[in-house]
Amino acid sequence: MATIATIEHEKALHVKDFSFTYAKTAQPSLVEVSMPIAKTCITALIGPSGCGKTTLLRTFNRMHDLYAGNRYEGEIEFEGRNILGPKEDLIRLRTRIGMIFQKPTAFPMSIYDNIAYGLRLQGIKAKSELDDRVEKALNDAAIWPEVHQRLKKEASSLSGGQQQRLCIARAIAVEPEILLFDEPTSALDPISTQAIEQLIMQLKERISIVIVTHNMQQAARISDYTGFMYLGKLIELGKTDTLFVTPQEALTEEYIMGKFG
Amino acid sequence: MKHIKSSVLLDAFFAKLSHGGALIVLILVISIFAVLLGYSLEALSQLGLEFFTEEKWAPNLEKFGARSAIIGSLISTFLAMALCIPIAIGIAIFLTEIAPNSLKTPIGTSIELLAAIPSVIYGMWGLFYFVPLMRDLFGGLGIGMLSASVVLSVMILPFMAAVTRDAMNTTPDILKESAYALGATKWDVIQAVVIPYAKAGIIGSMILALGRAVGETMAVTFVMGNVHRISWDITAPATSIPVTLANEFTEADSSLYFSALFSLALVLMLISFSIIAIAKFYFLKKVRRGL
Amino acid sequence: MNAIDKRRLVSRVVLILSSISALIGLLFLFWILGVLILNGIESIRWDLFVYEGAPPGMLESGLKHALIGQLILVGCATLIGVPIGILGGTYLSEYAGNSRFGNFVRDISDIMMSAPSIVIGAFVYAVVVLPMGHFSGIAGVVALSIIMIPIILRTTDDMLQLVSPTLREAAYALGAPKYRVILSVVYRGAKAGVLTGIILGVARVAGETAPLLFTSFNDNFYSTDLMEPMASLTVTIYNYATSPYADWQSIGWAAAFMLSMFILALNIIGRLIILKRKGA
Ligand SMILES: Nc1ncnc2c1ncn2[C@@H]1O[C@H](COP(=O)(O)OP(=O)(O)OP(=O)(O)O)[C@@H](O)[C@H]1O
Ligand SMILES: [Mg+2]
């Protein structure tokens, strides 16, 4: 059914026949999705509103388990095991697979403590190590010059775009394998958006990235692979250059031509 | 023409009338303070500072020391808060983060309804059920500071639990999720995100509850004993300002006695007024509550 | 043990502790509710509605006097408190807006809402009971209405502010004077909310005991004369419960049950009105 291009890279994640139904709904939101996610690449998920992009993204770090009653079946393979198993250690899993949300989610604490939070959770207590890694994360997130003189200030004093980069810094500080982005720039102005896109492209050197976006230009600009979803199904996954130029599926073509969605 | 003129008059009349409604509140507050002060003057001028420092309260000897009542009010309120705060936070955490959805609404609603039960009922329960329990546990009368504090804490518990839960519920899901996404446990999230986010609301509501507890009369009158003595033994009978007022106001037989009671009322009003004002101005500026 | 396992353990322990403390708190609350309901059902009988108070030991003893007294006291306090509160709330919302005077009155009312009610009783004693020379129903009414005014005022203020400005503008555009806009448009839009506020305000006042102790005082007989001391359910509960007589105590429980059911019913009605409005 779906057209899945072969992936030239190693796989960071491999979704197999995954179906998902939210609590209190009868209609499944994802139907038998199978999809490889390439390592140290950027994979973009596109598709019309309500097609299930967020739902799929949130299964990768098992966010759905925070709420009772959601049902799912299938497999997601990560480092050789199925992370949907009942024995999966969700706390460890989430330190390996980080997430950035649609809106900035700075915690109600100082800039420094926001970054140090995840590190402290991992048991790092030494001040010097914390200082080093906070600085490195803020540098990697290209926000160090803007904040290094006010690390003790509340994070809420930053602008929206700065807060979003702070959240990225917070996520990369704990050195995850995979980062999940759910429309990370949809609440930002064009300049902040550009800064974040550049940042994401730098990160892919060491981190595998999945990004949900409504903006097809953004997907085309930054991603290596693109998946097109429609009504809970993955319709097509291909290399970004080919998918936008010569889509294999009629639905994909209609969508990228702007005929719907 | 005439019609328009009469409507202009009516307009002005309605504006004045409603202005009057708003002014009445201010007039009431001012007159309460003025009247209380007026009737307190005799005792305050005759007894001076001694009124606050003297422990002995013996109306038959015309001796009026408010210290035991004032200290009693402070201790009973403090103990009640100390018992109530951890339990209220426990209930709030339970209702926001632990209980399954099928329990959240029924338990939450019962707690809100319990907050509406009049305090005289809590006092009655204290007298008939809690005091005998204390008597069995500690001997003595069972009536006293500890019983009063427990009954008081049970009485403010529903209010405090409900407002703490409301404050915690305001934490956006997405903020909690971002902490979970860093590998936080439930407690990590509560500690680092939920409590800091809801802090102002929680503290403000607690101070509000404190303000109410200080002035609460019926929950404690049944079980405190109205004995004007300060004792290290918290199971011993004691008194507080509201308890003294409730028990003795109708018995005052001399003008000095009467004035001493008004002084107590004034002190109580000042304490409660300042506590609530602090809660409002420092913590609840942004957190608006209904009834 | 590494950091993650340790955190997991701490989290589990804390969550268990908070569940236990919740359980303790809930146990106490349901203990009280249970005691109230069991004793209430056991003590309540039809006779209580027929007879007025009687000395301990008498069979023909009831609560008619207290029920009627309670209705009169709360009813009259509502008649005074509601119009004043609504007028004041209207002023804050429609005339004062965000002015300093408006916010000052709001703050003072909020503080008044939590003021010790026994102090209000003392105040009314000084300004009503002393000049009259004796306790009276009217003094109780005054005390209860003083407690009621700030409650009604603040809910009215809040509810009127919720009415959308476009509705007001539409009415002004038709050339209606301000008082007509308020009476016919603003009040109509805020009807359900204001009504809920009144119901909750009545419920709150109906449970007040302390301010009645030395205003309306109490009376063991049926009386509708506001110039004389008047019985109330709340003070009767206090007097009967603290008496040493088993039959009075039992009547006290019945009174407590009736009062609580009345107040709970008002609260539930208030909630239903809000729910219905949200649903609509
Ligand atoms: N918590 C939920 N409970 C029930 N159904 C939900 C829930 N969240 C999403 N859905 C449904 O699941 C489907 C997929 O939603 P999802 O949020 O994954 O879409 P999306 O592709 O991310 O859309 P958008 O582009 O608007 O963010 C939708 O039909 C939505 O209505
Ligand atoms: Mg989405």
Side-chain angles (χ1 to χ4, degrees), chain B residues 71-124:
Chain B
I71 300 273
S73 272
L74 298 181
I75 295 182
S76 60
T77 315
F78 175 81
L79 277 179
M81 294 299 287
L83 290 168
C84 183
I85 287 175
I87 304 258
I89 293 183
I91 293 183
I93 291 180
F94 180 76
L95 286 178
T96 49
E97 306 291 331
I98 304 176
N101 282 333
S102 55
L103 284 182
K104 275 181 189 164
T105 320
I107 296 185
T109 312
S110 343
I111 287 181
E112 283 165 22
L113 289 178
L114 273 160
I117 299 244
S119 57
V120 66
I121 312 278
Y122 286 87
M124 201 174 171

Side-chain angles (χ1 to χ4, degrees), chain A residues 53-55 102 182-183 212:
Chain A
K53 305 178 295 289
T54 299
T55 307
Q102 199 161 352
D182 191 356
E183 300 186 38
V212 168

Side-chain angles (χ1 to χ4, degrees), chain C residues 199-215:
Chain C
I199 290 175
L200 295 182
V202 170
R204 161 84 196 279
V205 164
E208 287 290 353
T209 314
L212 297 180
L213 288 175
F214 24 88
T215 52

Side-chain angles (χ1 to χ4, degrees), chain A residues 13-24:
Chain A
L13 283 171
H14 199 167
V15 185
K16 295 174 186 166
D17 289 327
F18 183 77
S19 299
F20 184 94
T21 312
Y22 277 106
K24 290 186 196 149

Side-chain angles (χ1 to χ4, degrees), chain B residues 57 68-69 72-73 76 123 126-127 131 135 140-149 151 216-230 233-248 251 257, chain C residues 238 242:
Chain B
W57 177 278
S68 40
S73 272
S76 60
L127 180 63
V131 165
R135 205 160 22 203
L141 291 169
I143 282 179
M145 181 65 84
L146 185 57
S147 300
S149 309
V151 176
E216 174 52 44
T217 308
M218 298 322 286
V220 286
T221 297
F222 282 89
V223 296
M224 205 156 189
N226 193 29
V227 173
H228 290 262
R229 196 185 320 127
I230 303 170
D233 175 9
I234 54 169
T235 61
T239 196
S240 70
I241 299 178
V243 170
T244 306
L245 291 177
N247 278 292
E248 301 183 27
E251 285 170 7
Y257 192 176
Chain C
Y238 178 54
T242 48

